[in-house]
Amino acid sequence: MIPLKDDNPTRIVPIVTVLLIAGNVALFLWEILLPAGAREELILKLAVIPFEITRLNPGEPGHVFHNGITLITAMFLHGGVLHLAGNMIYLWIFGNNVEDSMGHAR
C-alpha cells in the first residue's frame, strides 16, 4: 500500500519541500525533452560515478570539486516517471514534517 498522506499536522507552509519537488519535476521534464545524445551527456555530467569519486588520482584541476557536486546533483536525476512520482510522494509526506520541526533554513 502506498501512503498518500500522514496524520501529523504541520504549523508552517513547507516552502523548501515544495521548491524541491518543483525543481525535481522541472529537471526531469527538461531531461526527457532533450535529444538522446544530450540526455546521455547530462546524465554523465550530473550523476555520481563511484569510480570517479573513489579513485586516488584526481586528474584534471576541478575534478575533485566536480565529483563532490555530483553527490548533490544526482539527487535530482530520476530514471523514469514512476521513480520520480514515488520519490516525490515520499518527499511530500515526510519532507513537510521535517521542515516543520527543523524550520526552512536547516
Side-chain angles (χ1 to χ4, degrees):
M1 180 174 260
I2 298 174
L4 298 177
K5 64 181 182 122
D6 61 1
D7 294 330
N8 300 336
T10 56
R11 300 174 309 244
I12 61 173
V13 177
I15 298 168
V16 176
T17 302
V18 171
L19 289 175
L20 282 171
I21 291 171
N24 274 287
V25 171
L27 184 63
F28 181 74
L29 291 175
W30 178 56
E31 178 187 338
I32 63 172
L33 293 175
L34 287 174
R39 185 178 317 128
E40 288 178 22
E41 186 177 331
L42 173 82
I43 291 169
L44 285 174
K45 287 186 188 246
L46 297 181
V48 173
I49 301 172
F51 173 76
E52 296 295 329
I53 290 182
T54 59
R55 74 180 180 169
L56 297 176
N57 181 10
E60 60 201 43
H63 189 77
V64 172
F65 178 74
H66 175 263
N67 285 333
I69 292 295
T70 61
L71 293 171
I72 295 170
T73 59
M75 291 187 279
F76 291 90
L77 296 176
H78 293 87
V81 175
L82 289 176
H83 181 207
L84 176 73
N87 283 358
M88 295 308 103
I89 286 172
Y90 280 94
L91 178 59
W92 176 250
I93 292 170
F94 298 112
N96 63 354
N97 295 320
V98 171
E99 190 172 350
D100 188 47
S101 67
M102 296 183 71
H104 300 299
R106 284 181 39 197

